[in-house]
């Protein structure tokens, strides 16, 4: 019979037992459930609600159960419904009345909220650590290929030359913001609901601050109804994961494009590629594609929980049992994606020559030629038009701007002089972008230092 079976004459069917159970999902929180029960029983003893002997028996019993679960020897039974009742029922079977006193002044409603918050705090930290490793891999590639030139794109058309390191650092900054979102989810989870009991608090002289402190929570939730109903911290985690997984789709999309024979900008290591069962020549960027694809489930998990929470009246409703599966899935998926992306980036080869060859195409110097004229006094709009004509001329001849003679330039505008050659030099074009955050070597060096400092600060805060 279930631990709540007293007022029932008949049990649930095997089907509804299975349908209503959350054990397959929430058993992952066994360590948090045991920590919560130890903190609760220690507090009950401190407040004289249970005896010190009962507390000691409870702690010893819970320690045994913990070792059994970790050794894979614990007899999980779906008839126990969830992790809370699994552990409690086995505790009672083992130590009798002392175990039956554990649930004094507590409900599964505050218990599950406590366990889930502790678990999510742990998972946030795991994710933050994995986020840092991916940032490190990107920074390392940026440093190793600092001077490599890459065509910068807008509309996926050649735009202006940029440093490859600058391009990599753009992803590092996205991930730096993702870290902050994960940290915000951690802070949201870092509040203790224990002692709210079912919904209204209890008549026992509980010390909620004591249990919160024992469990390492930063604060106590001030409203018992809110304590058992709030799932915002899960939404925060799911949103943080969703944004970050979308960031990874952008990174992976570029890796996939760059590893085509059309681009050839990077070569993925064999360990992050797969072959085809029919086409012997194939080397596919499966893992980049898979990371791109996984974003679907992560965002789906966010939307799923939003819908579950919509219109729920206070306080606990069984709908809330649906909160964990998606959140756990998103955290696991996101962590795996970080780990996979970090390995893929760390081991990819950057083909500087292929990038350089593309820098030569698509009139990447055009803006700088217009700037050359504007700096000589021609209004920029007019300079823009002059260069537009030059580009048209190149298009007709099938050549690039640097293939034109000085006379060709001067036919369009007499402000052109021999020094126009410098305005066509790609290294000089890049180096000239000296504004803060720009792609000039010096500016990128400063940016690199800032990205690394943020990375180290985040790593140290973990
Ligand atoms: N398994 C439940 C959950 O995950 C625990 C709380 C159940 N509380 C209740 N009153 N039925 O939400």
């Amino acid at each position: 019979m279930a631990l709540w079976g007293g007022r029932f004459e008949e049990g649930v069917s095997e089907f509804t037992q299975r349908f209503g159970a959350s054990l397959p999902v929430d058993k992952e929180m066994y360590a948090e459930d045991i920590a919560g029960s130890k903190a609760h029983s220690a507090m009950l003893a401190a407040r004289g609600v249970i005896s010190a002997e009962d507390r000691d028996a409870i702690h010893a019993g819970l320690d045994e159960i913990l070792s059994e679960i970790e050794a894979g020897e614990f007899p999980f039974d779906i008839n126990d419904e969830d992790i809370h009742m699994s552990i409690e029922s086995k505790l009672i079977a083992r130590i009798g009345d002392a175990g039956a006193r554990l649930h004094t002044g507590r409900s599964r409603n505050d218990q599950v909220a406590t366990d889930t918050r502790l678990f999510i705090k742990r998972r946030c930290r795991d994710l933050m650590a994995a986020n840092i490793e991916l940032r490190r891999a990107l920074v390392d590639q940026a440093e190793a290929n600092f001077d490599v030139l890459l065509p910068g794109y807008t509309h996926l058309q050649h735009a202006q030359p940029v440093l490859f390191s600058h391009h990599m650092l753009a992803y590092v900054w996205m991930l730096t913001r993702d870290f902050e979102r994960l940290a915000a989810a951690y802070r949201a989870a870092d509040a203790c609901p224990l002692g709210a009991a079912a919904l209204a608090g209890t008549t026992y002289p509980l010390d909620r601050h004591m249990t919160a402190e024992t469990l390492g929570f930063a604060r106590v939730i001030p409203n018992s109804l809110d304590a058992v109903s709030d799932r915002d911290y899960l939404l925060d985690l799911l949103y943080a994961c969703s944004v970050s997984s979308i960031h990874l789709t952008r990174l992976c999309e570029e890796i996939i494009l760059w590893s085509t024979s059309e681009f050839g900008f990077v070569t993925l290591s064999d360990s992050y590629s797969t072959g085809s069962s029919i086409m012997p020549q194939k080397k596919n960027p499966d893992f980049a594609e898979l990371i791109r694809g996984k974003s679907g489930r992560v965002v789906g998990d966010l939307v799923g929980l939003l819908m579950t929470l919509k219109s729920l009246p206070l306080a606990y409703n069984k709908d809330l049992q649906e909160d964990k599966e998606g959140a756990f899935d998103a955290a696991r998926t996101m962590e795996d994606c970080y780990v996979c992306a970090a390995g893929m980036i760390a081991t990819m080869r950057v083909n500087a020559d292929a990038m350089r060859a593309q820098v030569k195409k698509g009139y990447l110097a055009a803006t700088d030629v217009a700037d050359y004229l504007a700096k000589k006094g021609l209004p920029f709009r007019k300079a823009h038009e002059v260069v537009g004509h030059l580009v048209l001329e190149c298009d007709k001849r099938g050549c690039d701007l640097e293939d034109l003679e000085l006379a060709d330039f001067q036919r369009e505008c007499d402000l052109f002089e021999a020094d126009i050659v410098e305005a066509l030099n790609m290294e000089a074009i890049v180096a000239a972008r000296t504004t803060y955050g720009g792609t000039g070597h010096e500016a990128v060096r400063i940016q690199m230092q800032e990205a690394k400092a943020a990375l180290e600060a985040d790593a140290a805060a973990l």
Side-chain angles (χ1 to χ4, degrees), residues 22 26 81-82 84 108-109 112 316 318 320-321 324:
S22 55
D26 60 28
E81 195 176 321
D82 56 28
H84 325 295
R108 274 186 300 152
N109 298 349
V112 69
Y316 180 85
K318 185 75 166 178
L320 288 174
Q321 181 166 286
K324 286 173 281 300

Side-chain angles (χ1 to χ4, degrees), residues 309 334 354:
L309 295 176
M334 194 67 232

